[in-house]
Amino acid sequence: MIVYYYSATGNSLYVAKEIAGGINDSTLMSIPRQLDQPGPVDEKDIVGLVFPMHYFGVPPLVREFIEKLELKPSTYVFAVVTCGHHAFGSALYQISRLLQDKGKKLDAGFYIDMISNYIPLSELPPPAQRRERLVKADEKVRQIVRMIKERQHIVEPEYFRWPCQAINSYWRSSLLPRSQAKFTNSAACTGCGMCAEVCPVENIRLESGKPIWQNHCQECLGCLHICPVQSIDFGKTQGRTRYRHPKVAAAELIQTKAER
């Protein structure tokens, strides 16, 4: 099995590691690292995709990767979507459509409720609630590992799929291209460069030691959350708690794109 993952603040990386660790002969591969490869060809029996939900759908970076991915007809394909709350979404539907365009199908698809890092929308839950959610997420991961081992064919339902699909499409076409304008950097910045190091698409360059956002942002907010002095804000995030999965180190997130 090979598990491809994309992670900004550690939720999806943690889940990908747990799934790979629960199944023998598994390999982990970072999606950002693979984007520059000329159409990866997989001869694996099982291929997994683990990524966060962005604006009720699939992150553009993950869409681009799947369009390049080549799969055997017999390959069992599963997707795991991490999110703050999966009551609304269209990510599994979008993955299914992308695979159908390649003559494949999504054999299994799951959502795992964790902690949303999208603090422009709302503050993080209290610490006790965060711990409770992550404990439940671990239970869901164990269930998913069992179902993958058994090669079960199950795609979890999505509610309000069509409105979510429309919102995601509008975000990708109209809002995301202007997202760089929402970033600010305070005088607290030390010029450490961690924001540029963690960016999965190399959208940040340093000028005189300060970050400058360019025009191909994924809006993953990895830069905001990894900043050690919390000098980066995106819209109305001033004073809001930053997040990284407690079992994922900042260095691991940086390493997911270090070889691009």
Side-chain angles (χ1 to χ4, degrees), residues 1 24 28 59 64 69 79 88 98 109 114 135 137 140 148 151 158 176 206 213 232 247:
M1 181 179 75
N24 292 333
L28 273 177
E64 180 184 347
L69 190 64
F88 310 103
L98 289 166
M114 300 183 78
V135 168
K140 182 70 175 284
I148 293 170
R151 301 203 185 191
E158 294 176 315
L176 187 59
L206 298 181
W213 285 265
I232 297 172
K247 294 184 180 179

Side-chain angles (χ1 to χ4, degrees), residues 64-92:
E64 180 184 347
F65 173 74
I66 294 172
E67 289 168 356
K68 294 180 179 179
L69 190 64
E70 298 178 24
L71 299 161
K72 293 188 302 182
S74 60
T75 302
Y76 176 90
V77 182
F78 71 89
V80 178
V81 185
T82 61
C83 57
H85 197 287
H86 78 282
F88 310 103
S90 64
L92 295 179

Side-chain angles (χ1 to χ4, degrees), residues 230-252:
Q230 299 187 13
S231 70
I232 297 172
D233 282 295
F234 183 84
K236 298 179 180 180
T237 59
Q238 291 84 355
R240 290 187 173 172
T241 307
R242 271 45 174 173
Y243 174 76
R244 187 175 71 248
H245 191 284
K247 294 184 180 179
V248 174
E252 290 182 88

Side-chain angles (χ1 to χ4, degrees), residues 135-198:
V135 168
K136 290 182 179 179
D138 282 343
E139 295 172 359
K140 182 70 175 284
V141 170
R142 288 191 287 271
Q143 295 171 9
I144 290 171
V145 168
R146 176 181 57 80
M147 288 186 277
I148 293 170
K149 284 181 176 179
E150 297 171 355
R151 301 203 185 191
Q152 292 190 23
H153 291 255
I154 177 171
V155 177
E156 292 182 350
E158 294 176 315
Y159 304 101
F160 299 99
R161 175 194 295 168
W162 299 117
C164 291
Q165 168 82 352
I167 292 170
N168 180 262
S169 178
Y170 176 74
W171 169 68
R172 285 187 284 114
S173 64
S174 301
L175 301 181
L176 187 59
R178 303 195 301 269
S179 62
Q180 70 274 11
K182 296 183 181 180
F183 284 101
T184 58
N185 183 43
S186 76
C189 176
T190 63
C192 70
M194 288 183 68
C195 55
E197 291 176 350
V198 80

Side-chain angles (χ1 to χ4, degrees), residues 1-230:
M1 181 179 75
I2 188 165
V3 180
Y4 292 109
Y5 69 92
Y6 164 51
S7 188
T9 51
N11 286 337
S12 295
L13 174 53
Y14 174 77
V15 168
K17 291 196 299 181
E18 290 296 296
I19 292 174
I23 299 177
N24 292 333
D25 193 24
S26 297
T27 303
L28 273 177
M29 294 292 290
S30 164
I31 288 177
R33 282 190 188 176
Q34 300 302 304
L35 281 181
D36 293 335
Q37 303 299 319
V41 177
D42 274 300
E43 297 300 329
K44 301 291 185 179
D45 293 326
I46 303 176
V47 171
L49 301 161
V50 182
F51 57 88
M53 183 162 64
H54 282 189
Y55 266 77
F56 305 108
V58 178
L61 181 151
V62 176
R63 295 178 65 91
E64 180 184 347
F65 173 74
I66 294 172
E67 289 168 356
K68 294 180 179 179
L69 190 64
E70 298 178 24
L71 299 161
K72 293 188 302 182
S74 60
T75 302
Y76 176 90
V77 182
F78 71 89
V80 178
V81 185
T82 61
C83 57
H85 197 287
H86 78 282
F88 310 103
S90 64
L92 295 179
Y93 171 74
Q94 291 181 28
I95 290 289
S96 296
R97 290 296 301 269
L98 289 166
L99 291 172
Q100 286 174 13
D101 291 343
K102 305 172 74 63
K104 278 292 299 175
K105 72 172 182 176
L106 180 64
D107 295 291
F110 312 95
Y111 280 97
I112 300 182
D113 290 344
M114 300 183 78
I115 314 298
S116 172
N117 75 359
Y118 201 73
I119 60 173
L121 182 62
S122 62
E123 175 63 281
L124 295 184
Q129 188 175 341
R130 296 202 296 268
R131 290 191 293 270
E132 181 181 355
R133 283 193 187 180
L134 293 179
V135 168
K136 290 182 179 179
D138 282 343
E139 295 172 359
K140 182 70 175 284
V141 170
R142 288 191 287 271
Q143 295 171 9
I144 290 171
V145 168
R146 176 181 57 80
M147 288 186 277
I148 293 170
K149 284 181 176 179
E150 297 171 355
R151 301 203 185 191
Q152 292 190 23
H153 291 255
I154 177 171
V155 177
E156 292 182 350
E158 294 176 315
Y159 304 101
F160 299 99
R161 175 194 295 168
W162 299 117
C164 291
Q165 168 82 352
I167 292 170
N168 180 262
S169 178
Y170 176 74
W171 169 68
R172 285 187 284 114
S173 64
S174 301
L175 301 181
L176 187 59
R178 303 195 301 269
S179 62
Q180 70 274 11
K182 296 183 181 180
F183 284 101
T184 58
N185 183 43
S186 76
C189 176
T190 63
C192 70
M194 288 183 68
C195 55
E197 291 176 350
V198 80
C199 180
V201 290
E202 299 178 345
N203 187 55
I204 300 173
R205 71 175 191 273
L206 298 181
E207 290 187 2
S208 302
K210 305 300 181 182
I212 302 295
W213 285 265
Q214 301 175 82
N215 61 358
H216 51 281
C217 181
Q218 292 283 302
E219 209 169 306
C220 71
L221 303 188
C223 57
L224 180 154
H225 289 281
I226 203 171
C227 176
V229 295
Q230 299 187 13

